[in-house]
Each structure stands twice: as C-alpha cells, then as structure tokens.
Amino acid sequence: MSGKVSPGGAVMCRTASTIVIGMGCSSSIVLEEASSTPNPSTPVRRVENGIAAITMGPVKSETLVAAYSRLDEEICALESTTPGPRLMTAEGWVEVLKSAAPRARPPARSEQVPNGIQLPNGTNDGEIPQEAPSTIADGAIEGTHKEMLQIILRLDIIHNGLKAQQQEEFVARLTRNAMDLEADHYRNEMIVHAQRRCATLRTAFERLKRLYHEQDVLLATVYTDNTYGSPLEQQLDGELETARDVRDRLGGVVEQWRTAGGLLRAAAKGLHQTVEYWDLIGAVRSVRDAEQVITLALDTRAACHGALVALEAAQAALPHVEIPYITIRQQTAVRHALIYLITDLVQEPRYRHTRDVFSVFSTNVTKAVHWVHECYNETLRQDYDGADQAATLLAKRLRDERLRFIGRKFPNKIYVRPGAIG
C-alpha cells in the first residue's frame, strides 16, 4: 500500500525572514487531526476542525524574554497542526472536485410515453427537466422527487407487476435523468464544503505567518550584529528545520486521508440508511399506500446514490491507495439496482435480490472504513506523532537556548509590539 498527496503534499520551510511553501511527496498517512492534547512545552490550546486556536495572547506589558517565549510557544502550537501543508492539499482537492464538475450533456434520446400519461412541465420524452449546474439546490432535488412521484403514481405500477414490467425501461430512463441531477448536486455540495475547509485552514495559516513575522522582527532587535546566535543555537535551528520539513510533508497527507476518511464514513452512513429504507418498504407494501411506497423508494435511491458519489470521491482523494472490500463491479451492481429500483420493488424475488445487493455493499463499505482506521491506528499515526514530537522537542530546546541569550543581554527590556503586525 502506498499513499501520495494529490496534487502533492505541501511542505512548509521557514527561515529567519521568509516562509516558503513547496510541494513534496510522503509515504505516511493519518486519518484524524493532530492530537488535541497539547505538548507539555506548548501553551494550552483548543482544537477546532484540526486547527489549534491559541487561548493566550500578548499582555499589556511584558519583557522581551516573556514576549519571545509567548510567541514561540504559540508558533509551536500552531505549527503542530501543519496548516500550510494542509491548506495546499485542501486547495488541490477543490481543484480535483471542480475538474469533475458537471458538463453539458448531449440531448436525451426521445422515448415513447405510455398512453394517457401527461408528464410535468409539458415534457413528453421521458426526461426529468434538468437544472443548470449553478442553480442546483435542495429545492431542485425535492422538485425532481415530486415529479417522479407524480409520474409513477399515474403509471399505476407499484402494485401491478405486469404494468411494472411494461414500463420498466421508461421508468429507468426517468431515474437515470434524475440521478444525473442528483450527482451534480452532491458534487456541488462537496465543493462548497471543501472551500469552507480551505477558508478555515487559510485563517490559521495567515495567523501563523503573522506570528513568524513578529518573531523575526523581535529577533532582529536581539541579533543586531547579523550573527545568528551561538554554534549550538545554529545547530538546533538546522535540526529543527529538518524536523519541521518531515512533519510538514506528513501534514499534507494527514489532510488527504482526513478527506477520504470523512467521505468513506459518509458513504457507510448513507448505505446503512439505504438498507433501513428498503426494509421499511417491505413492511409497508401490504398497506397498499402507493405514495408512501414510492416516497420511501425515492429516499432509498437518494441515500444510496449519495453514498456512491461519496465513495467515488473518497477513492479519488486517495488515487494511489487501493481500498479493500470495494470493487468497481460492486458499485456497478448497486448503480444498476438504483436505476431499476421502482420496478424491482413490485416483484418479491427482485425486491429480495436488491436488498441483498444493498446489504452486502453496506457491509463491505463499513469494512473499508474499519480498514482505513486500522491502518492509521496500527502504523501510520506513529509516523506523524513521532515527527511532531521530534519537532516540538527541538523547538523547545532552541527556545530555551535563545531565552538564555536574550535574558543575559536584555534582562528587563520591555517588549514593544510592532504596529504593522495585525
């Protein structure tokens, strides 16, 4: 098994006066965010969406020693969440999603409409009216479901096996068109969610850059002769840059697996709902309430189709990792079941077969979720935690060395915060 950031793992390297963002690859993965328990050498902080929010800030009056200690602890805490590499990976993910955005489809092939059936909105070719991708919203999906409900009610096939067989391909065409609209809607939702994630990461990264800049200004007042500290300090600084580089390479992969893991969990949840809805259909079919049965069938399709789209996205987020238990053949079988869902529920043998398809697939996706978490817990989490611990310990040693120097040179000097820093 291998993992690779798409479009690349982000690497953040810092010098005394600049911040450089580069691309790199990595071989380790993490599913969860950086630990919410702060390292003993860092200030207490809370973690929201994987980004540390420092609870301490500059006081009204502090010495140069206290100011440097505070700034470096805040930097260390925020660096531990690797917002820069995560941001680059998250932005790359948005581009991946946009590249799969809906494109103009060829005109639908006209089909014969059953006698006496008047389709909504004056259409007569068996096609659910399509919305432009930019206008797809929950209301559009709900409207499509209502149109499907009315059409199927007029066909009178829910409790009539012969009619269901006669109208099977017509209903399948309606379903395909509706599913195209659903897929566009689900992808747009993922893009919006990914953009929000980018905004959160960007806020954290901008704060980290401001902290870097403020610390560099402070150090410039200490090292006025252009000598960058003692030989030990220079050695520690070099070792820290290397340790940060390793951690930051892993940080981009953390974000990649965080995305894929969340999508897999969403797919598993959707498939669990699918099985529940389908079982409920079996319990209410005897009531002879066609509208209730059709509504449950459409809910089943929406839950399962959303799971398929999420699963497809999860696999795209990890293009170089083969997720076990899930095959293209299984996904094709589930999609086929969704297309013929309405007419299958009318005939008991096909209803039971469809239930088996949903149930097995739900079980397999749940197994895939467990597999991903086992990989994380048993092997891959150690890589990131080890890299983070190494960088944190080196940062503390470098901080202590600089504090000794600043304390000797400016024991009581009051720190004046630069006005240009936000």
Side-chain angles (χ1 to χ4, degrees), residues 221-277:
T221 66
V222 175
Y223 300 102
T224 54
D225 55 357
N226 294 324
T227 59
Y228 200 56
S230 65
L232 176 59
E233 183 179 335
Q234 294 180 36
Q235 176 188 340
L236 290 173
D237 191 43
E239 292 177 359
L240 177 57
E241 287 303 316
T242 300
R244 282 171 170 165
D245 181 74
V246 173
R247 181 181 60 192
D248 289 346
R249 287 177 183 271
L250 297 178
V253 186
V254 168
E255 186 64 22
Q256 188 180 13
W257 278 76
R258 173 193 177 277
T259 300
L263 289 166
L264 272 176
R265 289 190 296 272
K269 181 178 179 180
L271 288 168
H272 180 72
Q273 291 177 332
T274 298
V275 175
E276 287 186 338
Y277 286 144

Side-chain angles (χ1 to χ4, degrees), residues 50-366:
I51 300 300
I54 310 300
T55 59
M56 58 190 296
V59 295
K60 291 183 178 180
S61 177
E62 59 183 344
T63 64
L64 205 62
V65 172
Y68 179 80
S69 179
R70 171 182 56 78
L71 285 171
D72 200 63
E73 286 177 349
E74 291 187 27
I75 287 172
C76 184
L78 196 50
E79 272 186 341
S80 185
T81 64
T82 59
R86 286 172 183 253
L87 175 60
M88 290 199 69
T89 301
E91 289 177 335
W93 176 237
V94 170
E95 294 306 311
V96 169
L97 292 174
K98 287 183 176 180
S99 69
R103 296 176 174 83
R105 301 188 183 94
R109 179 173 59 88
S110 179
E111 291 193 16
Q112 183 64 37
V113 178
N115 291 333
I117 300 300
Q118 177 62 43
L119 299 186
N121 298 327
T123 61
N124 62 358
D125 61 355
E127 181 181 6
I128 295 294
Q130 299 288 310
E131 297 283 341
S134 61
T135 65
I136 297 172
D138 291 332
I141 300 300
E142 183 180 350
T144 300
H145 281 200
K146 289 180 179 179
E147 291 174 352
M148 283 285 294
L149 173 63
Q150 293 304 315
I151 293 171
I152 297 168
L153 282 173
R154 293 170 191 170
L155 290 173
D156 190 27
I157 62 175
I158 292 303
H159 300 295
N160 190 318
L162 179 58
K163 286 186 177 180
Q165 185 177 359
Q166 291 172 340
Q167 307 304 335
E168 185 169 64
E169 290 306 318
F170 174 73
V171 175
R173 177 169 177 74
L174 294 177
T175 301
R176 289 189 185 96
N177 291 326
M179 287 176 62
D180 284 343
L181 182 60
E182 279 182 348
D184 295 345
H185 171 66
Y186 294 142
R187 293 189 187 100
N188 284 348
E189 280 191 331
M190 285 192 291
I191 291 173
V192 171
H193 183 273
Q195 289 173 332
R196 289 174 183 157
R197 174 65 177 167
C198 286
T200 299
L201 290 165
R202 191 175 295 108
T203 298
F205 185 53
E206 291 299 323
R207 171 166 174 73
L208 182 58
K209 289 195 295 183
R210 290 194 297 271
L211 289 170
Y212 280 156
H213 178 56
E214 183 175 359
Q215 187 184 61
D216 289 340
V217 172
L218 186 153
L219 289 174
T221 66
V222 175
Y223 300 102
T224 54
D225 55 357
N226 294 324
T227 59
Y228 200 56
S230 65
L232 176 59
E233 183 179 335
Q234 294 180 36
Q235 176 188 340
L236 290 173
D237 191 43
E239 292 177 359
L240 177 57
E241 287 303 316
T242 300
R244 282 171 170 165
D245 181 74
V246 173
R247 181 181 60 192
D248 289 346
R249 287 177 183 271
L250 297 178
V253 186
V254 168
E255 186 64 22
Q256 188 180 13
W257 278 76
R258 173 193 177 277
T259 300
L263 289 166
L264 272 176
R265 289 190 296 272
K269 181 178 179 180
L271 288 168
H272 180 72
Q273 291 177 332
T274 298
V275 175
E276 287 186 338
Y277 286 144
W278 198 242
D279 285 343
L280 191 55
I281 288 174
V284 303
R285 279 188 305 173
S286 60
V287 180
R288 310 295 296 179
D289 186 340
E291 183 171 348
Q292 183 181 18
V293 172
I294 297 169
T295 300
L296 282 171
L298 294 176
D299 288 343
T300 302
R301 190 193 70 197
C304 189
H305 191 206
L308 282 176
V309 174
L311 180 59
E312 179 184 338
Q315 292 172 318
L318 296 175
H320 300 283
V321 176
E322 184 177 349
I323 302 175
Y325 305 109
I326 305 170
T327 66
I328 297 297
R329 183 176 180 179
Q330 286 177 327
Q331 295 175 67
T332 301
V334 173
R335 189 174 299 277
H336 184 271
L338 294 183
I339 292 172
Y340 293 93
L341 191 75
I342 301 296
T343 49
D344 280 353
L345 68 83
V346 180
Q347 303 180 41
E348 185 62 29
R350 291 169 66 173
Y351 169 83
R352 290 197 302 268
H353 174 72
T354 300
R355 189 200 184 284
D356 291 341
V357 170
F358 289 156
S359 180
V360 170
F361 192 58
S362 177
T363 300
N364 287 344
V365 172
T366 299

